[in-house]
Amino acid sequence: MWSSNARLYESQKIAVKYFTVAVALFGAQLLFGLIAAIQYLYPSFLFNTLDFSIARMVHINALVVWLLYAMIGSVYWLMPEETGIDVVGAKLANLAFYVLTAAVAVVVVVYIFVQVGPGNEMTTWLITEGREYIEAPRWADIGIVVVVLIFLGNVYATVIKAQKRTGIMTVLMADLLALAGLYLCGMFYTSNISVDQYWWWWVIHLWVEATWEVFVACVGGYMLMKTLGANRQVVEMWLWIEVAMMFGSGILGLGHHYFWIGTPEYWWEIGALFSALEPVPLVGLFVHVLYDWGKERGKGNNIKNTPAFAWLTVETFGNFLGAGVWGFMHTLPQINLYTHGTQWPAAHGHLAFFGAYAAILIGMFYMAVQGKHGIKEMRMSTATKWSISLITGGVLIMTVSLTLSAYVQTMVERGQFGATWEGYFISQAQVWFVQGLGWRLAAGLAVFVGFVLLVYDLITIAKKQKAVAAEAEAEAVPA
Amino acid sequence: MENKPTSVWTSNRFWSRSAGWVTGVAAVLLILLTFDTMAQITMGTAEDVENKVTKRVPSPIVINYKITYEMDQRRGHEVPIIGGNDGNGKSLFQEKEKFFGRDDWTEEEAMELVNLGKLTVQAKNCMDCHTLLGNGAYYAPDLTKAWLDPAWGPEGPMQAMTGASSKEEAMATFLQNPDKYPTHERMMPNLGITAEEAKGVVAFLKHMSTIDTNGFPRNFGKIKGAVYVE
């Protein structure tokens, strides 16, 4: 994808590898999402061959894994620039990359071709753990832990060797340790489903609503400095404020998952209060990005990488709308009692994962393309504009469609029919519900076309920029 | 600006220390609450049932009892009632109900069944279509109170369809060959569930219906036109 990489640090070459696999997994996520979306409308599609449960499992697992790949890649990319030195254990990091990628490939092949196993612990060790988002079998869990330990060791050793620690690296070191440690909470079996889900949320919630949010704040800070030349002091001050707000609200915001799983009633108040605060740091992030932009633009500085900056802007709006607004809409227990377990969380999840994480990490792909080719100022191409519009517009339409379907399901299944089997299927057959799913599929196809353009753009944009630069130079000479 | 912040509000040191304190306090609170919650959601024992002590997650031995989901006036929502209601929304642990022909499952046997059910639910990826306690995918009905669903009751369609004479047998028959008993165009695939595994899953579902979910789902099976009344 990226031809010459002589000017890169070893760490950044590793980053490029992680980014490449991330893009491939992103494609797999969309493909299996399309299959699942088709099955909602035409249930006989691939029935008893690749059932909805399998398509959906690959869809959400590919999502989580490509985001993690892109996150690890982002750290390997920005670390040498933040510390001023290359990664300490490049060979080990490379080995870890290949081990992880081989393991991911085996897990996916088993998911698709073996699918399910007998009801015993062996299945959870070898085939699937059957726990949403972290279905990966136990052997893969252990492999992931080893690979992440190598990654963490590299980050810590590099920063220690550099004897220079920026605010961004300090936050990242603490955040990555928490992110890795939390994964352990999902690595055990219990026959008590309430206890099971209690700890399962420690992984899922404390990842996506705490540690991942802080992670993207670090990456966002780095991108602001690189693309706008934003002042480090200002960026890091806001980063610390965001850490305080994000962890201050997100850690106890965990309570909004403890309303109905058998846990005591006091989680109603705790969950409601803290999760209502969760959008606050997102508003802060939103405001300060726009503020910085205006301020720095005023000095006549050009944006150094407009595709990356455009994706960062999508992230700001997407995170605020998807995680903040769509999350808050159904987070209070009085409302959640009726929306929990309907298409509501699906609508919220699509915009939140895309807005908060996918968008900014796509921005990092463009940062890597720019760095790899040594382009001083990278401009959007036609393909950049089309892909960003199709993907973002597609996810927005998808979210709104799912929200409308969710309304119908909530009103009919939960309000009118009391959540029974019959009520469920009556809600699924409502015209408006089905229409919403139709629009979702159409929007999903648009996202997929946008993805194809994104891949094309990532491959070709550097060449085009160089051609434009050469032309400008040739024109400048005679004058 | 780098070396002389004009006020505390623009001092990175102030904000980094604040971030540390806020995070620390939130984490400590979460850990303290976790200790309390764990104590409350640990599975109860056969002794609790004998002493008529209601637990949020009772002993699996409750599969020997009749389960209902009734309004608790004091709490303002429905709660699981095990073995009859004392009139004030408290379980009496008296009224038994045969489960696969027996109402004398020992705690050990019941635990074995529920455990097999839980393992099967994981091994077959049930949560990637269904929701359990409201979590999972939204392609198929929520199973939190599936045991109490009128569709499986004496007046629901499922017993007649599967030719079974009890709720648990109807459920177990369906689970083993779901594609033989389609209720809607959206069908459950055949997941190779064995007779023993099916029995386990039904025990697991019956046990799950006794978990105190703070009134979720609301009005389950109570609304006219969608329910049978015993």
Side-chain angles (χ1 to χ4, degrees), chain B residues 103-192:
Chain B
D103 61 9
D104 58 350
W105 296 88
T106 65
E107 185 164 47
E108 216 167 64
E109 288 171 330
M111 186 65 220
E112 210 170 289
L113 272 186
V114 169
N115 188 48
L116 173 63
K118 172 83 169 13
L119 277 169
T120 306
V121 162
Q122 289 186 223
K124 308 294 179 188
N125 287 322
C126 298
M127 276 182 91
D128 278 303
C129 283
H130 291 278
T131 40
L132 281 79
L133 303 179
N135 293 316
Y138 319 111
Y139 194 68
D142 182 83
L143 299 179
T144 309
K145 304 289 175 196
W147 174 256
L148 306 171
D149 200 301
W152 299 96
E155 285 171 33
M158 298 308 290
Q159 288 193 27
M161 191 188 228
T162 52
S165 53
S166 70
K167 194 192 278 190
E168 61 273 24
E169 278 159 22
M171 286 181 153
T173 310
F174 175 83
L175 283 168
Q176 290 169 69
N177 284 297
D179 41 359
K180 265 200 209 161
Y181 310 104
T183 59
H184 294 84
E185 199 193 347
R186 204 188 291 169
M187 282 189 280
M188 179 170 154
N190 193 329
L191 298 166

Side-chain angles (χ1 to χ4, degrees), chain B residues 34-45:
Chain B
T34 296
F35 275 108
D36 182 71
T37 298
M38 275 303 133
Q40 291 204 45
I41 64 175
T42 302
M43 231 182 248
T45 60

